[in-house]
Every structure is written in C-alpha cells, then in structure tokens.
Amino acid sequence: MAHDADILIVGGGLNGPCLALALSQAGFSTVVLDALSTENRGADAFDGRSYALALASTRLLAALDLWDDLVAQAQPILEITASDGRAGEGPSPFFLHFDHAEIEEGPMGHMIEDRYLRQALLAAMEADPRITHRPGARATAQDTATGASVTLEDGTTLSGRLLVGADGRQSGTAARAGIKRTGWEYGQTALVCAIAHEKPHNGIAHQFFMPPGPLAILPLPGNRSSIVWSETHAAAAKLTAMDDAGYLDHLRPRFGDFLGEIRLEGRRFSYPLGLSLANRFVAPHLALVGDAAHGVHPIAGQGLNLGFRDVAALAEVLTDARRRGEDFAALDVLERYQSWRRFDTAALAAATDAFNRLFSNDNPVLRGARDLGLGVVNALPGIRRRFIREAAGLAGDLPRLLQGRPL
C-alpha cells in the first residue's frame, strides 16, 4: 500500500517539527500536520515568550544542524540560585547556588526566544525534502487499526505506518485513541512575560519561592529577563486584568531591586498549572511525545526539555528497529520507547509536584525545614554537582541525539 509518508505527526509547535527533522536524518519521510497557519507561527518581533534549554537539548539541536545559527541569539545560563521568602521581604539567608564551572561540559543551558527557535524549525522543515509541512491542517479523525491514517477538516485523508501525537496537553490524538490522563490542578496560574532592567543579570537564573508559588527570573540576551510568576487563580485573574503599570507595581515587590528599574517587553501570557500524565505513551501504530504525553509544573523549567528527550528517544527506537529489519510501527517496538521515557517522566513529575507543594505555602515548620534543606544541599559539593548535572539534562540513560551524536 502506498503511503503519504512513513510517519504522520500531528502537532506543529516545537516537538513535532523537531521529531520530523530527527527522523529525516535517519531516512524517514514525515508529514507534519500543523493546526495553525504559517502566518501565526513565529513573529519577527519579540512577543515575550522564551524557553530554558538544558545543555542536552542544545546538543540535540546541534545534532540537527540548528544550534550553530541559534547560539548567537541565545543567553547562556551560567549560574542558578534558589531561595525561599515572601514578597517585599527579600530571600531567606539559606539558599541553593549552582555554578556551571562545577561541571566540565560548559553552561548548564541557554535561554532562547520563541521567535528564533520556532522560525529555525520552520525553515529547516521547509528545506527538507523528506518533510511535508501542512500548515492550517486540523485533524478530526484517525484510524490506527492496521496502519495510520488521519482525516483533516477539509475531508482529506493521509496515510502512513505510524501516527505521532505532538499536539499538547489537550491532545486530540490521545483522546481519539482512547488514552486517558491522570493528574490534578494546582490552583495556580503561571504569569509569563519578559522585562528589561537597568543592571546586567550576568547569566544568573533565579528561582524565588513564595507562598502563592515560585517566581523564576531567567536571563535573556542583553539586560532582559524572562519571568514565570505563579499565583493563585484568583490573584492571577486580577493581575491579568490590570494594565501594564499596575502589573509592574505588583511584580516589583516580588522581584526586588537587585537588577534596578524594570519595564515590560512584549506581551503578557497566563497559563493554568497542573500535573497531567497520559496513562499510556503508545498504542498500536501510535506514540505520544511532549505535552501530549506529559505536562509538569514549570518549577524546574523542564517542560520543553522533557519533550526533546521524548523526541530523541522515539527517533532512536524507530531508527534502530528499522535497521534491524523490524516493523518500526509495531507495538512491541513502541513499548521500548514507552519503557524508556515513562519512568523518567513520572519521576520528574513526582519531584516537581512534591517541590511545589513543599514550597508553595507559608507553614512556618515547613519553611524552616526547606530552608535548612537548601542550605545543607548547598554545603555538599557532591550532591550539588549531581543537581547541576540534572539541571543540564545530563543524568540518566541519554539517547544519542542528546549526547550530540547522530542517529
């Protein structure tokens, strides 16, 4: 039977195109179904969105021949500090400090603006003859009984041997396959924006834990930083409704004055926070990657990095299976991907869930215990180095692409 491509990928955000590029290097043909039109994918102007890429994720982009062009627009993360406190009172004297100099591989990660990463992926897809990008194509039905087929809103049907869902937490691909999710809401909303500030950040990322939720201050190129600010739903709704001046008035006491005067750059965004894990990552002729498989709290900044780990692992499993002459879309092959990624994902989800619950409160007993814990970890170089390697994405059984090696 003739297929439109070896693999159909539903989702044109970041993970879907990245997977298509990785698979192309191994000789697979793909169709990427992107619900948004090209005009709505990426903007020339900075809109306030950016990502923290762990070192392992930058290695993946390097293996895909993208990082050399992106690195000039990225900001290295040289240090990370984590501290406890309340708005307007400053941080606790007990804190955690990570320095990239404690590992040999270089910066723990980089910050990259959404516009640069998204446009690089789009351009690479358009230049790759093995990838067919279908912008404005929304999937409405699928069949994975004997292969993979997807029906679009306009009635077009596409066929392949494998279907991959990279279509986010509300994955239609997973829902149509009958894959349920386990999770819960945190009662928190993430307020996301970018700011310009007077003083240089020196490549230092800050995580400030406050009773309503954490505040992350992540360095961008120049005197700018990305903000991920967690508040209760009610407080976040009020802040979202404010004009920029009122929004900044409420951010300043939480932010402090260590970077001087601040002002907003780009748009403001808000996202409800919760934990959401697909009960299965695979089904016959189907696999899930990225947020379609798992959604975790942004407290560790690992959402996109988890997705890139999925991409690298799935691409490796499929490539190795085909080289051995196996049916790469067979369930037993796909279950190798699931077993590789599910434990790692569940462990990180549990860790971020526990960390958020431990720090997002004002219980004096818990405050004392967690401050002491931060201080103890900071005083133990061996444990601290292990945390640094985790933050850089260098721990665990890494797929070849995350090691910077070809498939």
Side-chain angles (χ1 to χ4, degrees), residues 123-195:
M125 279 200 301
E126 298 302 332
D128 195 317
R130 292 194 183 94
I131 301 173
T132 301
H133 179 216
R134 296 283 300 264
R138 189 179 299 275
T140 58
Q142 67 196 44
D143 185 350
T144 57
T146 57
S149 69
V150 172
T151 302
L152 307 182
E153 272 185 332
D154 64 3
T156 302
T157 298
L158 301 173
S159 67
R161 295 178 62 188
L162 176 67
L163 175 64
V164 177
D167 46 349
R169 291 197 190 197
Q170 306 301 319
S171 171
T173 306
R176 288 187 291 269
I179 298 175
K180 299 186 182 301
R181 303 180 77 88
T182 299
W184 45 82
E185 297 296 319
Y186 288 120
Q188 296 171 318
T189 295
L191 301 167
V192 178
C193 64
I195 58 164

Side-chain angles (χ1 to χ4, degrees), residues 22-26 312 315-317 319-320 323 400-401 405-407:
L23 291 170
S24 176
Q25 288 198 347
E316 185 167 321
V317 166
T319 299
D320 289 352
R323 285 173 179 164
R400 292 191 290 269
L401 288 173
R405 297 164 52 204
L407 284 171

Side-chain angles (χ1 to χ4, degrees), residues 74-91:
Q75 168 62 49
I77 299 174
L78 304 178
E79 300 176 46
I80 300 173
T81 67
S83 57
D84 196 7
R86 297 187 185 92
E89 295 184 7

Side-chain angles (χ1 to χ4, degrees), residues 25-51:
Q25 288 198 347
F28 290 95
S29 62
T30 59
V31 174
V32 177
L33 302 174
D34 190 345
L36 292 184
S37 63
T38 303
E39 291 73 21
N40 293 322
R41 280 287 179 208
D44 293 332
F46 179 49
D47 68 0
R49 292 180 296 171
S50 55
Y51 306 102

Side-chain angles (χ1 to χ4, degrees), residues 1 14 23 33 45 68 73 107 166 172 200 242 248 269 280 285 294 333 342 393-394 402:
M1 175 181 175
L14 299 175
L23 291 170
L33 302 174
D68 284 349
Q73 298 151 336
M242 292 178 182
L248 280 173
F269 302 87
R280 291 178 289 137
H285 305 104
H294 44 69
V333 171
R342 190 159 177 79
L394 301 177
L402 293 184

Side-chain angles (χ1 to χ4, degrees), residues 7 9 15-28 30 60 64 162 164 287-289 307-324 328 333-334 336-338 340-341 399-402 405-407:
I7 299 168
I9 301 173
N15 291 308
C18 192
L19 177 62
L21 291 167
L23 291 170
S24 176
Q25 288 198 347
F28 290 95
T30 59
L60 167 64
L64 300 181
L162 176 67
V164 177
L288 304 176
V289 299
F308 279 2
R309 280 182 173 248
D310 295 343
V311 164
L314 181 59
E316 185 167 321
V317 166
L318 298 180
T319 299
D320 289 352
R322 190 163 74 167
R323 285 173 179 164
R324 287 191 291 263
F328 65 81
V333 171
L334 299 177
R336 296 171 201 161
Y337 159 70
Q338 176 172 263
W340 193 353
R341 293 297 304 132
R400 292 191 290 269
L401 288 173
L402 293 184
R405 297 164 52 204
L407 284 171

